[in-house]
mmCIF file of all heavy atoms in Angstrom:
data_model
loop_
_atom_site.group_PDB
_atom_site.id
_atom_site.type_symbol
_atom_site.label_atom_id
_atom_site.label_comp_id
_atom_site.label_asym_id
_atom_site.label_seq_id
_atom_site.Cartn_x
_atom_site.Cartn_y
_atom_site.Cartn_z
ATOM 1 N N SER R 1 5.953 -1.263 8.358
ATOM 2 C CA SER R 1 7.422 -1.304 8.289
ATOM 3 C C SER R 1 7.906 -1.470 6.850
ATOM 4 O O SER R 1 8.575 -2.454 6.511
ATOM 5 C CB SER R 1 7.947 -2.462 9.149
ATOM 6 O OG SER R 1 7.552 -2.329 10.493
ATOM 7 N N PRO R 2 7.608 -0.512 5.969
ATOM 8 C CA PRO R 2 8.011 -0.673 4.565
ATOM 9 C C PRO R 2 9.511 -0.481 4.377
ATOM 10 O O PRO R 2 10.170 0.264 5.103
ATOM 11 C CB PRO R 2 7.217 0.429 3.856
ATOM 12 C CG PRO R 2 7.046 1.489 4.904
ATOM 13 C CD PRO R 2 6.877 0.747 6.202
ATOM 14 N N ILE R 3 10.037 -1.185 3.386
ATOM 15 C CA ILE R 3 11.419 -1.006 2.939
ATOM 16 C C ILE R 3 11.345 -0.364 1.553
ATOM 17 O O ILE R 3 10.833 -0.971 0.612
ATOM 18 C CB ILE R 3 12.179 -2.344 2.876
ATOM 19 C CG1 ILE R 3 12.005 -3.132 4.183
ATOM 20 C CG2 ILE R 3 13.653 -2.105 2.587
ATOM 21 C CD1 ILE R 3 12.554 -4.551 4.112
ATOM 22 N N GLN R 4 11.820 0.847 1.427
ATOM 23 C CA GLN R 4 11.728 1.567 0.168
ATOM 24 C C GLN R 4 12.722 1.005 -0.851
ATOM 25 O O GLN R 4 13.699 0.337 -0.479
ATOM 26 C CB GLN R 4 11.983 3.054 0.394
ATOM 27 C CG GLN R 4 10.989 3.728 1.331
ATOM 28 C CD GLN R 4 9.549 3.612 0.868
ATOM 29 O OE1 GLN R 4 9.286 3.611 -0.355
ATOM 30 N NE2 GLN R 4 8.610 3.523 1.803
ATOM 31 N N PRO R 5 12.511 1.239 -2.137
ATOM 32 C CA PRO R 5 13.458 0.754 -3.152
ATOM 33 C C PRO R 5 14.880 1.231 -2.851
ATOM 34 O O PRO R 5 15.108 2.403 -2.556
ATOM 35 C CB PRO R 5 12.920 1.357 -4.451
ATOM 36 C CG PRO R 5 11.460 1.550 -4.196
ATOM 37 C CD PRO R 5 11.348 1.902 -2.746
ATOM 38 N N GLY R 6 15.816 0.304 -2.894
ATOM 39 C CA GLY R 6 17.206 0.627 -2.629
ATOM 40 C C GLY R 6 17.573 0.716 -1.163
ATOM 41 O O GLY R 6 18.753 0.902 -0.827
ATOM 42 N N ALA R 7 16.595 0.569 -0.268
ATOM 43 C CA ALA R 7 16.847 0.721 1.167
ATOM 44 C C ALA R 7 17.051 -0.638 1.833
ATOM 45 O O ALA R 7 16.772 -1.694 1.265
ATOM 46 C CB ALA R 7 15.700 1.478 1.827
ATOM 47 N N THR R 8 17.531 -0.586 3.059
ATOM 48 C CA THR R 8 17.784 -1.776 3.871
ATOM 49 C C THR R 8 17.106 -1.613 5.217
ATOM 50 O O THR R 8 17.085 -0.518 5.783
ATOM 51 C CB THR R 8 19.300 -1.981 4.069
ATOM 52 O OG1 THR R 8 19.901 -2.279 2.814
ATOM 53 C CG2 THR R 8 19.581 -3.129 5.018
ATOM 54 N N LEU R 9 16.549 -2.693 5.733
ATOM 55 C CA LEU R 9 15.950 -2.688 7.063
ATOM 56 C C LEU R 9 16.570 -3.822 7.871
ATOM 57 O O LEU R 9 16.707 -4.953 7.377
ATOM 58 C CB LEU R 9 14.431 -2.864 6.981
ATOM 59 C CG LEU R 9 13.664 -2.753 8.305
ATOM 60 C CD1 LEU R 9 13.856 -1.384 8.929
ATOM 61 C CD2 LEU R 9 12.170 -3.000 8.073
ATOM 62 N N ASP R 10 16.962 -3.527 9.093
ATOM 63 C CA ASP R 10 17.586 -4.508 9.970
ATOM 64 C C ASP R 10 16.575 -5.010 10.987
ATOM 65 O O ASP R 10 15.947 -4.214 11.697
ATOM 66 C CB ASP R 10 18.781 -3.891 10.701
ATOM 67 C CG ASP R 10 19.918 -3.541 9.757
ATOM 68 O OD1 ASP R 10 20.303 -4.392 8.945
ATOM 69 O OD2 ASP R 10 20.404 -2.399 9.827
ATOM 70 N N TYR R 11 16.432 -6.325 11.055
ATOM 71 C CA TYR R 11 15.570 -6.971 12.037
ATOM 72 C C TYR R 11 16.452 -7.612 13.096
ATOM 73 O O TYR R 11 17.374 -8.366 12.772
ATOM 74 C CB TYR R 11 14.691 -8.036 11.378
ATOM 75 C CG TYR R 11 13.707 -7.511 10.361
ATOM 76 C CD1 TYR R 11 14.074 -7.360 9.027
ATOM 77 C CD2 TYR R 11 12.415 -7.170 10.729
ATOM 78 C CE1 TYR R 11 13.177 -6.886 8.089
ATOM 79 C CE2 TYR R 11 11.504 -6.693 9.792
ATOM 80 C CZ TYR R 11 11.893 -6.550 8.479
ATOM 81 O OH TYR R 11 11.003 -6.078 7.550
ATOM 82 N N ARG R 12 16.166 -7.340 14.353
ATOM 83 C CA ARG R 12 16.916 -7.915 15.468
ATOM 84 C C ARG R 12 15.941 -8.515 16.464
ATOM 85 O O ARG R 12 15.066 -7.813 16.987
ATOM 86 C CB ARG R 12 17.783 -6.848 16.137
ATOM 87 C CG ARG R 12 18.910 -6.316 15.259
ATOM 88 C CD ARG R 12 19.729 -5.251 15.993
ATOM 89 N NE ARG R 12 20.920 -4.851 15.247
ATOM 90 C CZ ARG R 12 20.935 -3.890 14.338
ATOM 91 N NH1 ARG R 12 19.824 -3.223 14.057
ATOM 92 N NH2 ARG R 12 22.059 -3.581 13.707
ATOM 93 N N PHE R 13 16.073 -9.798 16.708
ATOM 94 C CA PHE R 13 15.190 -10.450 17.670
ATOM 95 C C PHE R 13 15.801 -11.773 18.104
ATOM 96 O O PHE R 13 16.802 -12.241 17.545
ATOM 97 C CB PHE R 13 13.781 -10.654 17.102
ATOM 98 C CG PHE R 13 13.719 -11.310 15.746
ATOM 99 C CD1 PHE R 13 13.975 -12.672 15.573
ATOM 100 C CD2 PHE R 13 13.377 -10.568 14.616
ATOM 101 C CE1 PHE R 13 13.911 -13.279 14.329
ATOM 102 C CE2 PHE R 13 13.313 -11.164 13.361
ATOM 103 C CZ PHE R 13 13.574 -12.527 13.218
ATOM 104 N N THR R 14 15.175 -12.379 19.103
ATOM 105 C CA THR R 14 15.538 -13.706 19.580
ATOM 106 C C THR R 14 14.279 -14.561 19.573
ATOM 107 O O THR R 14 13.249 -14.148 20.132
ATOM 108 C CB THR R 14 16.111 -13.647 21.006
ATOM 109 O OG1 THR R 14 17.292 -12.835 20.995
ATOM 110 C CG2 THR R 14 16.462 -15.033 21.516
ATOM 111 N N LEU R 15 14.327 -15.705 18.931
ATOM 112 C CA LEU R 15 13.163 -16.584 18.851
ATOM 113 C C LEU R 15 13.203 -17.572 20.008
ATOM 114 O O LEU R 15 13.892 -18.584 19.956
ATOM 115 C CB LEU R 15 13.142 -17.326 17.509
ATOM 116 C CG LEU R 15 12.963 -16.447 16.267
ATOM 117 C CD1 LEU R 15 12.991 -17.294 15.010
ATOM 118 C CD2 LEU R 15 11.677 -15.639 16.344
ATOM 119 N N ASP R 16 12.468 -17.246 21.061
ATOM 120 C CA ASP R 16 12.370 -18.144 22.212
ATOM 121 C C ASP R 16 11.058 -18.913 22.094
ATOM 122 O O ASP R 16 10.093 -18.658 22.804
ATOM 123 C CB ASP R 16 12.426 -17.352 23.514
ATOM 124 C CG ASP R 16 12.504 -18.266 24.727
ATOM 125 O OD1 ASP R 16 12.772 -19.474 24.541
ATOM 126 O OD2 ASP R 16 12.279 -17.772 25.856
ATOM 127 N N GLN R 17 11.037 -19.838 21.154
ATOM 128 C CA GLN R 17 9.847 -20.635 20.886
ATOM 129 C C GLN R 17 10.275 -21.996 20.370
ATOM 130 O O GLN R 17 11.404 -22.171 19.919
ATOM 131 C CB GLN R 17 8.936 -19.925 19.874
ATOM 132 C CG GLN R 17 9.572 -19.646 18.533
ATOM 133 C CD GLN R 17 8.718 -18.750 17.647
ATOM 134 O OE1 GLN R 17 8.952 -17.545 17.579
ATOM 135 N NE2 GLN R 17 7.736 -19.340 16.969
ATOM 136 N N PRO R 18 9.392 -22.995 20.451
ATOM 137 C CA PRO R 18 9.775 -24.359 20.054
ATOM 138 C C PRO R 18 10.193 -24.445 18.595
ATOM 139 O O PRO R 18 9.821 -23.617 17.751
ATOM 140 C CB PRO R 18 8.499 -25.167 20.319
ATOM 141 C CG PRO R 18 7.730 -24.368 21.322
ATOM 142 C CD PRO R 18 8.031 -22.935 21.006
ATOM 143 N N GLY R 19 10.967 -25.487 18.288
ATOM 144 C CA GLY R 19 11.347 -25.748 16.911
ATOM 145 C C GLY R 19 10.114 -25.885 16.038
ATOM 146 O O GLY R 19 9.134 -26.535 16.410
ATOM 147 N N ALA R 20 10.143 -25.269 14.851
ATOM 148 C CA ALA R 20 8.954 -25.237 13.999
ATOM 149 C C ALA R 20 9.334 -24.822 12.589
ATOM 150 O O ALA R 20 10.402 -24.250 12.349
ATOM 151 C CB ALA R 20 7.912 -24.273 14.564
ATOM 152 N N THR R 21 8.429 -25.100 11.645
ATOM 153 C CA THR R 21 8.556 -24.651 10.259
ATOM 154 C C THR R 21 7.732 -23.382 10.102
ATOM 155 O O THR R 21 6.497 -23.433 9.962
ATOM 156 C CB THR R 21 8.075 -25.732 9.282
ATOM 157 O OG1 THR R 21 8.844 -26.928 9.474
ATOM 158 C CG2 THR R 21 8.214 -25.277 7.841
ATOM 159 N N LEU R 22 8.387 -22.235 10.141
ATOM 160 C CA LEU R 22 7.735 -20.949 9.907
ATOM 161 C C LEU R 22 8.029 -20.524 8.462
ATOM 162 O O LEU R 22 8.625 -21.261 7.698
ATOM 163 C CB LEU R 22 8.252 -19.903 10.899
ATOM 164 C CG LEU R 22 8.322 -20.318 12.379
ATOM 165 C CD1 LEU R 22 8.793 -19.137 13.231
ATOM 166 C CD2 LEU R 22 6.999 -20.847 12.886
ATOM 167 N N TRP R 23 7.602 -19.309 8.102
ATOM 168 C CA TRP R 23 7.963 -18.813 6.782
ATOM 169 C C TRP R 23 7.975 -17.299 6.776
ATOM 170 O O TRP R 23 7.556 -16.660 7.751
ATOM 171 C CB TRP R 23 7.095 -19.402 5.691
ATOM 172 C CG TRP R 23 5.608 -19.097 5.676
ATOM 173 C CD1 TRP R 23 4.710 -19.241 6.682
ATOM 174 C CD2 TRP R 23 4.856 -18.642 4.547
ATOM 175 N NE1 TRP R 23 3.446 -18.924 6.264
ATOM 176 C CE2 TRP R 23 3.509 -18.550 4.946
ATOM 177 C CE3 TRP R 23 5.177 -18.321 3.230
ATOM 178 C CZ2 TRP R 23 2.486 -18.120 4.086
ATOM 179 C CZ3 TRP R 23 4.158 -17.920 2.365
ATOM 180 C CH2 TRP R 23 2.834 -17.821 2.797
ATOM 181 N N TYR R 24 8.500 -16.732 5.703
ATOM 182 C CA TYR R 24 8.550 -15.271 5.571
ATOM 183 C C TYR R 24 8.038 -14.884 4.188
ATOM 184 O O TYR R 24 8.183 -15.616 3.206
ATOM 185 C CB TYR R 24 9.960 -14.730 5.827
ATOM 186 C CG TYR R 24 11.053 -15.251 4.933
ATOM 187 C CD1 TYR R 24 11.460 -14.560 3.782
ATOM 188 C CD2 TYR R 24 11.731 -16.439 5.238
ATOM 189 C CE1 TYR R 24 12.481 -15.032 2.980
ATOM 190 C CE2 TYR R 24 12.761 -16.919 4.441
ATOM 191 C CZ TYR R 24 13.130 -16.211 3.306
ATOM 192 O OH TYR R 24 14.138 -16.672 2.498
ATOM 193 N N HIS R 25 7.422 -13.707 4.134
ATOM 194 C CA HIS R 25 6.827 -13.217 2.894
ATOM 195 C C HIS R 25 6.489 -11.742 3.059
ATOM 196 O O HIS R 25 6.463 -11.230 4.187
ATOM 197 C CB HIS R 25 5.561 -14.023 2.540
ATOM 198 C CG HIS R 25 4.487 -13.975 3.589
ATOM 199 N ND1 HIS R 25 3.633 -12.898 3.742
ATOM 200 C CD2 HIS R 25 4.126 -14.869 4.546
ATOM 201 C CE1 HIS R 25 2.788 -13.137 4.729
ATOM 202 N NE2 HIS R 25 3.080 -14.323 5.246
ATOM 203 N N PRO R 26 6.196 -11.021 1.974
ATOM 204 C CA PRO R 26 5.817 -9.619 2.104
ATOM 205 C C PRO R 26 4.492 -9.467 2.843
ATOM 206 O O PRO R 26 3.657 -10.375 2.862
ATOM 207 C CB PRO R 26 5.688 -9.140 0.650
ATOM 208 C CG PRO R 26 6.467 -10.127 -0.149
ATOM 209 C CD PRO R 26 6.310 -11.435 0.573
ATOM 210 N N HIS R 27 4.330 -8.290 3.448
ATOM 211 C CA HIS R 27 3.050 -7.935 4.072
ATOM 212 C C HIS R 27 2.777 -6.453 3.803
ATOM 213 O O HIS R 27 2.416 -5.696 4.707
ATOM 214 C CB HIS R 27 3.084 -8.220 5.570
ATOM 215 C CG HIS R 27 1.752 -8.597 6.143
ATOM 216 N ND1 HIS R 27 0.657 -7.769 6.052
ATOM 217 C CD2 HIS R 27 1.334 -9.710 6.781
ATOM 218 C CE1 HIS R 27 -0.386 -8.355 6.635
ATOM 219 N NE2 HIS R 27 0.012 -9.543 7.081
ATOM 220 N N THR R 28 2.952 -6.087 2.528
ATOM 221 C CA THR R 28 2.826 -4.700 2.111
ATOM 222 C C THR R 28 1.352 -4.321 1.951
ATOM 223 O O THR R 28 0.577 -5.086 1.365
ATOM 224 C CB THR R 28 3.545 -4.499 0.765
ATOM 225 O OG1 THR R 28 4.791 -5.197 0.789
ATOM 226 C CG2 THR R 28 3.781 -3.031 0.485
ATOM 227 N N GLU R 29 0.962 -3.164 2.445
ATOM 228 C CA GLU R 29 -0.439 -2.768 2.320
ATOM 229 C C GLU R 29 -0.848 -2.751 0.853
ATOM 230 O O GLU R 29 -0.181 -2.137 0.007
ATOM 231 C CB GLU R 29 -0.681 -1.391 2.930
ATOM 232 C CG GLU R 29 -2.163 -1.035 2.969
ATOM 233 C CD GLU R 29 -2.441 0.364 3.485
ATOM 234 O OE1 GLU R 29 -1.507 1.188 3.468
ATOM 235 O OE2 GLU R 29 -3.584 0.633 3.881
ATOM 236 N N TYR R 30 -1.941 -3.467 0.545
ATOM 237 C CA TYR R 30 -2.546 -3.547 -0.781
ATOM 238 C C TYR R 30 -1.745 -4.392 -1.778
ATOM 239 O O TYR R 30 -2.223 -4.662 -2.875
ATOM 240 C CB TYR R 30 -2.779 -2.163 -1.400
ATOM 241 C CG TYR R 30 -3.657 -1.249 -0.599
ATOM 242 C CD1 TYR R 30 -3.376 0.112 -0.514
ATOM 243 C CD2 TYR R 30 -4.765 -1.737 0.083
ATOM 244 C CE1 TYR R 30 -4.191 0.967 0.217
ATOM 245 C CE2 TYR R 30 -5.578 -0.899 0.825
ATOM 246 C CZ TYR R 30 -5.281 0.456 0.890
ATOM 247 O OH TYR R 30 -6.082 1.283 1.626
ATOM 248 N N ARG R 31 -0.494 -4.802 -1.442
ATOM 249 C CA ARG R 31 0.318 -5.509 -2.424
ATOM 250 C C ARG R 31 0.866 -6.839 -1.907
ATOM 251 O O ARG R 31 1.703 -7.459 -2.565
ATOM 252 C CB ARG R 31 1.470 -4.606 -2.903
ATOM 253 C CG ARG R 31 1.007 -3.527 -3.863
ATOM 254 C CD ARG R 31 2.141 -2.589 -4.276
ATOM 255 N NE ARG R 31 2.419 -1.599 -3.264
ATOM 256 C CZ ARG R 31 3.634 -1.334 -2.782
ATOM 257 N NH1 ARG R 31 4.681 -2.006 -3.221
ATOM 258 N NH2 ARG R 31 3.814 -0.410 -1.872
ATOM 259 N N THR R 32 0.379 -7.294 -0.760
ATOM 260 C CA THR R 32 0.857 -8.585 -0.244
ATOM 261 C C THR R 32 0.591 -9.698 -1.243
ATOM 262 O O THR R 32 1.476 -10.505 -1.545
ATOM 263 C CB THR R 32 0.172 -8.916 1.095
ATOM 264 O OG1 THR R 32 0.506 -7.915 2.050
ATOM 265 C CG2 THR R 32 0.606 -10.273 1.614
ATOM 266 N N GLY R 33 -0.643 -9.773 -1.753
ATOM 267 C CA GLY R 33 -1.020 -10.842 -2.666
ATOM 268 C C GLY R 33 -0.182 -10.848 -3.924
ATOM 269 O O GLY R 33 0.326 -11.887 -4.351
ATOM 270 N N ALA R 34 -0.003 -9.689 -4.529
ATOM 271 C CA ALA R 34 0.753 -9.608 -5.780
ATOM 272 C C ALA R 34 2.223 -9.926 -5.554
ATOM 273 O O ALA R 34 2.852 -10.644 -6.348
ATOM 274 C CB ALA R 34 0.594 -8.219 -6.390
ATOM 275 N N GLN R 35 2.805 -9.413 -4.474
ATOM 276 C CA GLN R 35 4.236 -9.632 -4.246
ATOM 277 C C GLN R 35 4.533 -11.084 -3.875
ATOM 278 O O GLN R 35 5.552 -11.641 -4.298
ATOM 279 C CB GLN R 35 4.737 -8.669 -3.171
ATOM 280 C CG GLN R 35 4.758 -7.222 -3.655
ATOM 281 C CD GLN R 35 5.222 -6.242 -2.589
ATOM 282 O OE1 GLN R 35 5.261 -6.566 -1.401
ATOM 283 N NE2 GLN R 35 5.575 -5.041 -3.008
ATOM 284 N N ALA R 36 3.655 -11.701 -3.101
ATOM 285 C CA ALA R 36 3.842 -13.126 -2.803
ATOM 286 C C ALA R 36 3.655 -13.959 -4.068
ATOM 287 O O ALA R 36 4.405 -14.921 -4.309
ATOM 288 C CB ALA R 36 2.873 -13.566 -1.715
ATOM 289 N N TYR R 37 2.656 -13.606 -4.873
ATOM 290 C CA TYR R 37 2.401 -14.323 -6.126
ATOM 291 C C TYR R 37 3.585 -14.209 -7.072
ATOM 292 O O TYR R 37 3.884 -15.133 -7.840
ATOM 293 C CB TYR R 37 1.142 -13.739 -6.768
ATOM 294 C CG TYR R 37 0.528 -14.551 -7.872
ATOM 295 C CD1 TYR R 37 -0.336 -15.597 -7.591
ATOM 296 C CD2 TYR R 37 0.770 -14.241 -9.206
ATOM 297 C CE1 TYR R 37 -0.938 -16.335 -8.610
ATOM 298 C CE2 TYR R 37 0.177 -14.971 -10.234
ATOM 299 C CZ TYR R 37 -0.671 -16.015 -9.924
ATOM 300 O OH TYR R 37 -1.266 -16.736 -10.933
ATOM 301 N N ALA R 38 4.295 -13.082 -7.003
ATOM 302 C CA ALA R 38 5.453 -12.857 -7.860
ATOM 303 C C ALA R 38 6.635 -13.741 -7.488
ATOM 304 O O ALA R 38 7.586 -13.870 -8.267
ATOM 305 C CB ALA R 38 5.869 -11.386 -7.803
ATOM 306 N N GLY R 39 6.605 -14.345 -6.280
ATOM 307 C CA GLY R 39 7.650 -15.284 -5.895
ATOM 308 C C GLY R 39 8.342 -14.998 -4.585
ATOM 309 O O GLY R 39 9.255 -15.739 -4.200
ATOM 310 N N LEU R 40 7.949 -13.950 -3.872
ATOM 311 C CA LEU R 40 8.642 -13.575 -2.647
ATOM 312 C C LEU R 40 8.121 -14.377 -1.463
ATOM 313 O O LEU R 40 7.074 -14.072 -0.887
ATOM 314 C CB LEU R 40 8.485 -12.073 -2.390
ATOM 315 C CG LEU R 40 9.204 -11.161 -3.395
ATOM 316 C CD1 LEU R 40 8.838 -9.698 -3.149
ATOM 317 C CD2 LEU R 40 10.721 -11.343 -3.305
ATOM 318 N N ALA R 41 8.849 -15.412 -1.080
ATOM 319 C CA ALA R 41 8.494 -16.240 0.080
ATOM 320 C C ALA R 41 9.657 -17.175 0.369
ATOM 321 O O ALA R 41 10.455 -17.497 -0.518
ATOM 322 C CB ALA R 41 7.215 -17.045 -0.167
ATOM 323 N N GLY R 42 9.738 -17.631 1.615
ATOM 324 C CA GLY R 42 10.754 -18.610 1.979
ATOM 325 C C GLY R 42 10.458 -19.198 3.337
ATOM 326 O O GLY R 42 9.666 -18.638 4.109
ATOM 327 N N MET R 43 11.064 -20.334 3.640
ATOM 328 C CA MET R 43 10.882 -20.971 4.937
ATOM 329 C C MET R 43 11.840 -20.400 5.975
ATOM 330 O O MET R 43 12.949 -19.953 5.655
ATOM 331 C CB MET R 43 11.107 -22.481 4.838
ATOM 332 C CG MET R 43 9.942 -23.275 4.292
ATOM 333 S SD MET R 43 10.268 -25.054 4.382
ATOM 334 C CE MET R 43 8.661 -25.704 3.893
#
């Protein structure tokens, strides 16, 4: 599910799960490590 430069992707879902501390970060093929290391992450 890549988002190209300048593009937008809409995520729609409902979280029917217990309260918890999750997080978000890139999961790009071959570049997850570099992009997360660059600072892309959040709770």
Side-chain angles (χ1 to χ4, degrees):
S1 301
I3 310 171
Q4 299 302 326
T8 294
L9 185 61
D10 293 311
Y11 296 88
R12 294 180 172 88
F13 51 73
T14 299
L15 295 179
D16 187 14
Q17 60 189 98
T21 301
L22 313 183
W23 64 308
Y24 59 95
H25 59 79
H27 211 302
T28 318
E29 187 184 19
Y30 301 142
R31 285 177 281 130
T32 298
Q35 290 179 344
Y37 195 84
L40 292 173
M43 280 186 173

